[in-house]
Amino acid sequence: MKLRRRVANMHTGIQLTTLTAPMSVVTEQVKTIRTNLNYAMVGKTLKTLMITSAIQGEGKSTVGSNLAVEYAKKGLQVLLVDADLRRPTIHQTFAISNQRGVSSWLSGQLTDVNEAIYPVLDHLFVMPSGPKPPNPAELLASDRMTEFLTVATRKLDLVIVDAPPILPVTDARILAGQVDGTILVVRQNFVEKVAVRQAVSALKNARAQLLGTILNDVDIKTHGYGYGYYGTETN
């Protein structure tokens, strides 16, 4: 309960509707997305999921954080990793320190990865980004990152990776080949179609397993909900 009050009062973090309004229409849509993702794997187990977008500001971190909460509420052991080493937000959302995190582990500053992982809810753990490094792409492309994901999936049910947007930097394309599936978040009336097409093309070139697209910030007056999940085709 203490965490919920802190999250609800934060101005710089992400709104965790799945915690503050568990009976809301938006929360129901997050549950639907979770269910659809399970079906999208077609008989395979989803152990690592990357959330990204074409450009900044489309709500990828909001989607990733709320999905992580919903999976944890179902009893899965979930780790949410803030791999956006350039513009992190997840430490603010969950009101945890960002002095140690992904960058600390990947750069070798920590010998025990558990020092960079924080329990935030029942079944939910968060690994913040850590201090901003001078070489984010190089760190994410390192063998240490691949090793971390491999080990994490042996101990946890699901690892959700909040990655940077596709088009401005290469980080998400580097991570795409290291995860089981990728979700592209598209914010309605915000990003141009050509940018979405370029993002899909970049993911395909990176051999990403694109599970689908989440249309974010849908006009509630027209559609009656805040999220929509779609297949992988982008017109």
Side-chain angles (χ1 to χ4, degrees), residues 57-127:
E58 296 195 71
K60 63 178 179 61
S61 297
T62 300
V63 172
S65 296
N66 280 284
L67 268 177
V69 169
E70 275 306 312
Y71 272 109
K73 285 163 68 174
K74 292 294 289 184
L76 273 68
Q77 298 293 320
V78 181
L79 173 64
L80 177 62
V81 178
D82 193 345
D84 193 339
L85 306 184
R86 303 166 193 268
R87 300 185 65 176
T89 60
I90 288 177
H91 65 286
Q92 296 172 327
T93 298
F94 290 93
I96 60 177
S97 171
N98 198 36
Q99 293 182 351
R100 299 189 303 269
V102 176
S103 63
S104 309
W105 169 248
L106 295 181
S107 61
Q109 297 177 26
L110 298 177
T111 56
D112 184 357
V113 70
N114 292 302
E115 294 181 13
I117 297 175
Y118 301 80
V120 295
L121 289 173
D122 290 343
H123 309 297
L124 178 58
F125 304 85
V126 170
M127 188 177 190

